[in-house]
Amino acid sequence: MALHEDKFEYMAHSCNRNNLLEHLPFCSDIYQYSTNKGSLTPVNQLRDLGVTVCSDLNWTTHVKAIADKARQKAAWVFSVFHTRSSTTMLMLYKSLVRSLLEYCCPVWNPKKISDIQELEGVQRTFTSRIAGCQELDYWERLQKLSLMSLQRRRERYIVLHMWKLLHGDVSNDIRIEFVERPRTGIKAKIPPLKGTSAVGNQSLYDNSFAVMGPRLWNCLPARINTIETFGLFKERLTSFLTSIPDKPPVKGYSTQNSNSILDWRKDAATTDLWGGQDC
């Protein structure tokens, strides 16, 4: 394919970061893509459909970019609108600020605590300026305003996408397989990590949608994962998630766990929510 150098960018992903070839003189030739008029040199990061992708598949750059953009939008809201009523502020926040923080989030859902705190910090600051919430801590504000943490909402979006994969509403390009079991309902198969894969790829494997999606889906009880109507599934899923404690990691507070559904599923105090079923 003939590529226009000014319209394309080239990124190379390395499976083994300790590869000794990178230190050899001819390594640059290996990582270049030749075109009719020259060559494309690999870049460390690029923006693809609004998502900043890095060569090491780290989402910190993207998280900081969207957090800064959301803070600018929040500052504009507070400068233009003088009311601080919860009804008006929540409507503006959900439509103008939170939408920036959740665009395409099933793809880049972060696992680093610092990235999660960066995103939660935007919602934490915004809700602290809503009338009647100034004296409450962040976790109390979430309950008072009937808000989920951004972390919980990202996992919710992943589960919703899994439902669409199951029912053929979206293309199953990553070939996730589902099996139906009499007691636990419909479960998703978790693809195994190849034995020849480097140890450093374990975190990339665990955080990928192909693994995280099935793991989150498998935490749903049979009464929910067998629902065939999307509207009803979405309603029951939201009700189920709001029954699980939601205490995201924030700076200055110690948390019981990472607040992921996976961690709360392992917590003995919340096992009754799943009816004794295993993930």
Side-chain angles (χ1 to χ4, degrees), residues 69 140 188:
K69 188 175 182 179
E140 292 172 338

Side-chain angles (χ1 to χ4, degrees), residues 72-256:
Q72 293 175 4
K73 184 64 69 172
W76 177 84
V77 169
F78 287 120
S79 65
V80 173
F81 296 89
H82 297 286
T83 179
R84 295 296 181 263
S85 67
S86 59
T87 302
T88 304
M89 286 292 99
L90 285 178
M91 179 183 63
L92 293 170
Y93 170 71
K94 292 177 182 179
S95 59
L96 299 178
V97 180
R98 191 172 69 180
S99 58
L100 298 175
L101 298 171
E102 295 182 337
Y103 171 73
C104 212
C105 60
V107 174
W108 53 263
N109 178 40
K111 288 302 172 185
K112 289 176 60 176
I113 297 299
S114 58
D115 291 342
I116 296 176
Q117 291 176 339
E118 181 79 14
L119 296 170
E120 294 293 339
V122 179
Q123 182 166 268
R124 181 185 181 185
T125 302
F126 194 100
T127 55
S128 67
R129 301 185 63 178
I130 297 178
C133 297
Q134 292 85 349
E135 303 301 325
L136 303 176
D137 64 38
Y138 180 48
W139 298 339
E140 292 172 338
R141 293 198 296 271
L142 292 179
Q143 293 183 347
K144 179 179 177 61
L145 299 173
S146 298
L147 287 174
M148 288 185 187
S149 66
L150 297 174
Q151 178 190 20
R152 181 61 51 82
R153 283 180 58 84
R154 289 193 297 272
E155 293 188 340
R156 174 177 171 271
Y157 279 123
I158 292 176
V159 174
L160 290 175
H161 194 77
M162 287 291 295
W163 187 95
K164 294 178 180 180
L165 290 174
L166 170 64
H167 294 274
D169 290 355
V170 295
S171 177
N172 191 1
D173 295 329
I174 54 180
R175 300 180 181 179
I176 293 179
E177 299 180 7
F178 296 87
V179 294
E180 187 169 0
R181 298 172 180 172
R183 188 175 65 90
T184 58
I186 301 174
K187 296 297 182 181
K189 292 184 178 181
I190 300 175
L193 181 64
K194 294 183 178 180
T196 57
S197 179
V199 177
N201 293 332
Q202 182 68 48
S203 60
L204 295 177
Y205 165 82
D206 291 334
N207 299 336
S208 65
F209 180 89
V211 174
M212 183 58 65
R215 284 179 175 172
L216 291 173
W217 175 267
N218 291 344
C219 284
L220 299 180
R223 66 179 185 275
I224 297 179
N225 62 34
T226 54
I227 297 176
E228 297 185 355
T229 305
F230 182 71
L232 180 59
F233 174 80
K234 187 176 180 180
E235 176 184 345
R236 298 285 177 82
L237 174 64
T238 301
S239 177
F240 173 71
L241 294 180
T242 53
S243 67
I244 303 174
D246 190 8
K247 296 182 177 181
V250 291
K251 295 180 180 179
Y253 290 84
S254 59
T255 56
Q256 182 174 342

